[in-house]
């Protein structure tokens, strides 16, 4: 390849871009209700969305960050509802502790069962997840039905998440599923309203895994 | 697996959820400046973001949708800046026409060259893309430097995109890169401001590929 360099973009250093972005976010966000431990998650979510309203709508269970860090440092599997989250998460930082990230929604047995029961693959993927990889972080950015099913499984004592990151986006059941999540007394990170999505959830996982890595 | 069904989520049919969501979006959006051809893209982006402000900020070159459909139906490669877009795009609909989606940012030669030139992998990935897969849709949701580099390559006559979907998110150069894109007289889809991201870009590609598929 030949590399023309006549054109000079405003900023070309990834680290420099991120640092400058974080400065702007802190400045524009101003006062906020988040703890020092929670703030890196908020900051990274605003960085990935350019959405201060979304950032301000975040809600943390008091033990959320600590539980997330613990889960990653113990090498527990992160379970995500969709492949986009798997693609976006920094795998190296999970693997350093022996962990990884799994998505069950496209597994043939999940697809088959969803069809048979006339329900969503997202629901069935959570039923599979609690059998294959319970105890770590559940990361849900798309399917409200996955989050509602996971909440049901927690209430029934069938699932024991280390942390639930529940931020499905959408117009049908998304906000309601988060309302249900906030009623649980187990570690969660969520937001109020319809917004959310894979990039938001990825930001939360990456922020926590950076904290987990910085500990030693 | 055993499948408990005591708990009935509000709505469990994916098609039903999507249809209901689209109705809500049309109702809440009300009057808008978009053409009948552009609206499916707007609708799907709002569906993926729950963000009407973002939806209203979209800007289409007059030939954008037609060019995108043509590109997909000709089986041209979609080039994305990051893996999350690759993970989220419906591959079946591209492959039906002989196309696919490529991401170069993690290729060893791209990483090596970026290091050698002390620049972003995103920039080098665009320089590789125009050699490997020019002529189709370029889909940029993350890196302003990728979009700025692509614009430079277009101006120099080195890149001939069928369509540029340019919606990098962020605080440094993102809005500015879109301002530059809007000055080009080639097919583009973009938005005004800092927002954007992988899920937004995926929605645009999927909306266009659905239109491409519906044609016959």
């Amino acid at each position: 390849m030949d590399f023309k360099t006549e054109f000079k973009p405003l900023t070309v250093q990834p680290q420099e871009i991120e640092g400058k972005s974080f400065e702007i976010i802190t400045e524009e966000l101003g006062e906020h209700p988040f703890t020092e431990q929670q703030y890196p998650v908020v900051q990274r979510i605003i960085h990935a969305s350019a959405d201060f309203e979304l950032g301000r709508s975040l809600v943390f269970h008091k033990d959320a960050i600590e539980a997330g860090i613990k889960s990653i440092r113990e090498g527990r599997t992160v379970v995500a509802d969709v492949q986009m989250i798997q693609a976006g998460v920094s795998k190296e930082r999970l693997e350093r502790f022996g962990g990884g990230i799994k998505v069950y929604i496209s597994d043939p047995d999940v697809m088959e069962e969803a069809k048979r029961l006339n329900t969503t693959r997202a629901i069935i993927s959570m039923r599979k997840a609690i059998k294959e990889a319970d105890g770590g972080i559940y990361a849900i950015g798309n399917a409200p039905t996955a989050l509602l099913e996971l909440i049901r499984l927690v209430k029934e004592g069938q699932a024991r998440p280390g942390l639930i990151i529940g931020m499905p986006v959408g117009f049908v059941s998304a906000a309601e599923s988060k309302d249900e999540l906030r009623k649980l007394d187990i570690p969660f990170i969520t937001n109020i309203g319809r917004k959310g999505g894979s990039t938001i959830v990825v930001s939360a996982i990456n922020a926590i895994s950076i904290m987990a890595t910085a500990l030693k």
Side-chain angles (χ1 to χ4, degrees), chain A residues 92-111:
Chain A
E92 297 75 17
R93 279 195 295 266
L94 302 179
E95 286 161 6
R96 176 180 308 198
F97 300 106
I101 179 160
K102 290 271 191 182
V103 179
Y104 297 105
I105 199 161
S106 296
D107 288 4
D109 59 341
V110 168
M111 293 171 76

Side-chain angles (χ1 to χ4, degrees), chain A residues 55-77:
Chain A
R56 289 192 173 281
S57 77
L58 292 168
V59 182
F60 294 80
H61 182 276
K62 64 177 171 45
D63 302 327
I65 305 297
E66 201 171 333
I69 290 172
K70 180 167 181 282
S71 181
I72 287 171
R73 290 183 64 90
E74 286 176 354
R76 294 186 187 272
T77 301

Side-chain angles (χ1 to χ4, degrees), chain A residues 23 32 38 40 45 76 91 98 126 142 158 184 191 199:
Chain A
E23 276 176 33
H32 62 76
Q38 293 162 357
I45 285 175
R76 294 186 187 272
K91 261 79 68 185
M126 288 296 120
N142 271 68
Q158 294 191 64
L184 294 186
N191 67 302
T199 53

